Amino acid sequence: MAALTPDYAQVEMHVVEMTNAFRRENKLGQVRINPKLSAAARKYAALLAKTQEFSHTAGGTNAGDRIKASGYDYCGYGENLAMAADSRGFASRPLASSAVTGWINSPGHRANMLAANVTEIGVGVALVPYQYPKYVTVQLFGQPSSGAVEFQISNTTKATISYTFAGKKHKIEPSYAITHTSCSAGPIAFEKAGGIFGSSAKASVEAGNGKNYVLQSDGKDGLKVETKARRKIE
């Protein structure tokens, strides 16, 4: 009996559908197919099949460089790889399911699938020379540079304010303004130290594109944040 042969286009489609179903289950937005990411994924799948390597750095390359070479200008990205072999071959959907199930059950790959900031996807499949049917699947996620979040923080108080954003700590001096550009949104946690009893005042906001967060004193030892539209200087 001849081994089953998958239709690569259908495998790619099923991977995207299953990925979006998994993201929906986890209350995340859907990813849409981007032709440049698809081209990069297919090209790398072909390279992995040809070299019979199974690595994110085959041929001395890395995912970021490969994505850029495809013409995709990214702010963030992720890459998943899968390999499957079976003497009976594969129909299209089972091959896609094998890859997606493996990624879901692997913490690192799962994190890529559940990245909140990515909005686009590309998938590639290739046949690896072997004694029986063996396939490699490449899944690329991307956030285009146009999806970056840019915001400003302006300190109108007379104190130095500490704040945390995207896991990093910062300080802003009085009468200063700082602009941040980030691939992902998230909370900004402010802290003003040294109240009358040595206590600190805290405030937080959710970072949003095009916003200016103006730090103000509440007239006592507290801290308040006023959100305004950011004015760009042309």
Side-chain angles (χ1 to χ4, degrees):
M1 183 176 178
L4 293 172
T5 302
D7 180 297
Y8 293 175
Q10 288 188 13
V11 177
E12 295 172 6
M13 179 187 67
H14 290 316
V15 168
V16 174
E17 290 174 347
M18 293 174 188
T19 297
N20 275 329
F22 184 56
R23 288 176 66 86
R24 283 195 301 273
E25 290 173 7
N26 288 274
K27 312 302 181 186
L28 291 171
Q30 306 295 277
V31 288
R32 60 184 179 274
I33 297 172
N34 179 280
K36 293 177 179 178
L37 289 178
S38 297
R42 291 165 185 158
K43 185 175 181 179
Y44 194 52
L47 176 65
L48 292 176
K50 180 179 179 180
T51 61
Q52 299 193 46
E53 294 183 67
F54 190 63
S55 164
H56 291 284
T57 57
T61 66
N62 63 66
D65 288 344
R66 294 192 299 270
I67 292 171
K68 277 190 175 181
S70 75
Y72 187 88
D73 188 13
Y74 65 81
C75 186
Y77 67 87
E79 180 180 68
N80 286 339
L81 307 179
M83 189 83 77
D86 193 316
S87 60
R88 297 166 297 180
F90 293 91
S92 301
R93 189 173 185 86
L95 180 57
S97 180
S98 172
V100 172
T101 300
W103 293 328
I104 289 173
N105 292 327
S106 168
H109 298 92
R110 181 187 180 97
N112 283 340
M113 294 180 71
L114 296 180
N117 60 308
V118 299
T119 57
E120 297 179 323
I121 189 173
V123 181
V125 183
L127 176 65
V128 181
Y130 198 56
Q131 61 182 348
Y132 45 77
K134 184 177 184 180
Y135 294 89
V136 61
T137 304
V138 177
Q139 180 185 54
L140 290 175
F141 294 100
Q143 178 190 9
S145 57
S146 60
V149 175
E150 185 174 276
F151 61 89
Q152 183 173 288
I153 297 172
S154 302
N155 186 2
T156 67
T157 76
K158 295 181 180 180
T160 297
I161 307 296
S162 300
Y163 64 96
T164 303
F165 174 68
K168 294 183 179 180
K169 294 184 177 181
H170 309 267
K171 288 185 178 181
I172 182 168
E173 303 291 334
S175 302
Y176 272 77
I178 296 176
T179 299
H180 285 268
T181 301
S182 174
C183 287
S184 60
I188 313 170
F190 299 100
E191 183 171 2
K192 175 186 175 185
I196 191 170
F197 298 110
S199 60
S200 62
K202 298 181 180 181
S204 64
V205 295
E206 188 74 16
N209 192 42
K211 302 298 183 181
N212 180 18
Y213 301 104
V214 182
L215 306 180
Q216 302 174 338
S217 173
D218 68 353
K220 299 178 181 180
D221 290 317
L223 176 67
K224 62 180 181 179
V225 183
E226 183 178 359
T227 302
K228 297 182 177 181
R230 179 172 175 249
R231 292 184 178 180
K232 289 188 177 182
I233 300 176
E234 299 298 337

